[in-house]
Amino acid sequence: MGAVRKFDSAVLTVAVIVIAAVAAATGAGLAAPSLLGRNLASFELAGIAIGFALLGWGLTASRRRRERKRMLGMRDSALW
């Protein structure tokens, strides 16, 4: 059961990172011509995608830490 849960967490992390990066790059690519008056260069889109991928990774890492802390708290309270 633990291995399946760990796999689900890994899949969720990758999915959040990929979706955040693609959504950010697509949104920036579509909004840039009207906001900046020009299309973004590929390195600018890549930078935006990497930035949002890191943000997605950070959010999922934070979620995992909270979940682990909650589980440890439940375990500790069960030992008492």
Side-chain angles (χ1 to χ4, degrees), residues 9-24 48-61 64:
S9 178
V11 171
L12 176 66
T13 300
V14 171
V16 167
I17 290 170
V18 169
I19 290 170
V22 169
I48 291 170
I50 289 170
F52 274 89
L54 290 173
L55 178 66
W57 176 80
L59 291 174
T60 56
R64 283 192 311 267

Side-chain angles (χ1 to χ4, degrees), residues 2 5 7-8 12 16-17 19 27 30 32 38-41 47 54 58 69-70 72 74-75 77 79:
R5 191 153 176 80
F7 175 74
D8 289 343
L12 176 66
V16 167
I17 290 170
I19 290 170
L30 293 174
R38 64 178 181 88
N39 289 329
L40 292 178
L54 290 173
K69 192 175 189 179
R70 186 180 68 82
L72 288 174
M74 287 174 33
R75 184 195 69 185
S77 68
L79 293 175

Side-chain angles (χ1 to χ4, degrees), residues 27-48:
L30 293 174
S34 64
L35 294 175
L36 301 175
R38 64 178 181 88
N39 289 329
L40 292 178
S42 59
F43 72 89
E44 292 171 320
L45 287 173
I48 291 170

